[in-house]
């Protein structure tokens, strides 16, 4: 495989991943989320005591979507440097009657077009303030 062919193949994998990521963000559900991950993947998010593995991911995302069932995530920009893609995203969800919007950055190591290691960065303080205002 030539260098140009390898670059084209990698670009296609990244585009497939981004298409899956956008699909999840537009219509979040556990099945779409799980489809993003390699079988050997780990996921780590703020507040977790340790990274979770693929068998734990569905319960994790289902718990989040129960709290914010109208959650939407829209990838806006991305940068890639082997093996990591950084995706800046716009998020929104209703907390009670209030629509809340917040930015996040996803730091993802890819294996092919699937997440091998995922980490999300965002400021949780404004979200927690809406969940527990006192």
């Amino acid at each position: 495989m030539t260098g140009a062919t390898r670059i084209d193949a990698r670009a296609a994998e990244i585009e497939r991943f981004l298409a899956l990521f956008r699909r999840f963000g537009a219509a979040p559900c556990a099945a779409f989320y799980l489809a993003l991950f390699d079988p050997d993947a780990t996921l780590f998010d703020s507040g977790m005591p340790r990274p979770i593995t693929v068998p734990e991911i569905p319960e994790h995302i289902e718990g989040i979507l129960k709290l914010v069932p109208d959650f939407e995530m829209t990838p806006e920009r991305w940068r890639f440097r082997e093996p990591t893609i950084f995706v800046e995203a716009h998020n929104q969800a209703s907390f009670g009657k209030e629509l809340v919007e917040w930015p996040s950055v996803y730091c993802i190591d890819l294996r092919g077009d699937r997440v091998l290691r995922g980490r999300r960065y965002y400021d949780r303080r404004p979200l927690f303030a809406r969940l527990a205002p006192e």
Side-chain angles (χ1 to χ4, degrees), residues 92-103:
Q92 68 179 40
S94 295
F95 288 81
K97 294 181 179 171
E98 183 181 5
L99 181 66
V100 178
E101 300 179 80
W102 68 97

Side-chain angles (χ1 to χ4, degrees), residues 47-79:
M48 288 182 170
R50 61 168 177 77
I52 61 174
T53 60
V54 170
E56 300 166 292
I57 289 173
E59 182 178 349
H60 168 73
I61 195 64
E62 287 167 359
I64 291 171
L65 294 175
K66 282 180 185 171
L67 286 174
V68 286
D70 65 340
F71 172 77
E72 291 180 24
M73 182 273 304
T74 305
E76 295 181 325
R77 289 176 291 283
W78 61 273
R79 295 289 180 264

